[in-house]
Amino acid sequence: MPSPRQLPSGVPDPRPHLGEPLALDLLNTRWISAEGPQDLLTGTEGLATWLADNNLELPADDRTLRAVITAREAILRAIRGESIDELNAVLDHGRIRRTLTPAGPADTPDVQRPEWLPGWLAAGDLLKLLADAPDRIKQCAHPNCVLWFHDTSKNGARRWHSMATCGNRAKAARHYARNT
């Protein structure tokens, strides 16, 4: 089992579900804990953690934080089918620049304002997920969970972001209901 990731302050990353594709990992910066709703992106320290977790060596400043939160909301609304306009507005901040380099063809992100690069990359990742298998983008089926995952199971029937947490809670609730 990998060791927990650390916040810049040295505190373990509090998010309960890590390792999803970039777009879904951005959505998973919000979660529900025993203490209630949580949000990693309430400040630049949490942004620094998210950027580092995704190997994005960019400054964690207030402008980038605002752009990333805007992208997160746009991705959420697009996945829910509420609005594609906001996602398209995020995508308008950049483009893929295709070039031929000495090493061969290259596709390079071209984003005019650097604070938009992380959110633009996440929006682009969502497009890839939607093109490849839109039915594999899922929200955890537990009624008290807001986390998202990319279903990589063989038959596409995965229901929980984690069987160890939400899946077991649902099984325990069914067992309790049958036996009371």
Side-chain angles (χ1 to χ4, degrees), residues 2-172:
S3 61
R5 296 180 199 171
Q6 302 285 312
L7 292 169
S9 64
V11 176
D13 187 330
R15 294 180 295 157
H17 188 60
L18 304 170
E20 290 297 330
L22 187 62
L24 303 181
D25 191 67
L26 179 54
L27 291 179
N28 290 341
T29 56
R30 283 192 294 216
W31 69 97
I32 306 292
S33 75
E35 292 80 34
Q38 305 293 316
D39 188 344
L40 185 68
L41 301 180
T42 58
T44 56
E45 183 174 300
L47 174 63
T49 297
W50 183 78
L51 291 170
D53 283 351
N54 288 287
N55 300 314
L56 298 170
E57 295 179 17
L58 300 161
D61 56 28
D62 288 330
R63 289 185 310 181
T64 304
L65 179 63
R66 284 190 299 276
V68 167
I69 290 171
T70 299
R72 179 177 68 180
E73 296 307 312
I75 289 167
L76 182 61
R77 286 186 181 89
I79 287 177
R80 288 183 173 166
E82 297 169 0
S83 171
I84 60 171
D85 295 337
E86 294 170 51
L87 186 72
N88 285 330
V90 171
L91 291 166
D92 280 344
H93 286 279
R95 66 184 175 105
I96 296 291
R97 185 168 179 258
R98 302 190 88 184
T99 57
L100 181 59
T101 70
D107 291 340
T108 307
D110 183 10
V111 178
Q112 296 299 313
R113 293 174 40 206
E115 68 266 20
W116 281 99
L117 181 59
W120 182 84
L121 290 170
D125 182 60
L126 178 63
L127 294 183
K128 181 183 179 310
L129 293 172
L130 289 170
D132 291 347
D135 57 321
R136 296 293 181 117
I137 300 170
K138 298 181 179 180
Q139 187 170 19
C140 184
H142 193 280
N144 298 326
C145 187
V146 298
L147 296 173
W148 292 83
F149 64 93
H150 183 239
D151 184 353
T152 57
S153 66
K154 188 173 183 177
N155 64 3
R158 184 173 154 197
R159 298 182 56 210
W160 321 105
H161 82 274
S162 166
M163 189 62 199
T165 55
C166 288
N168 281 342
R169 283 188 286 201
K171 285 170 57 176

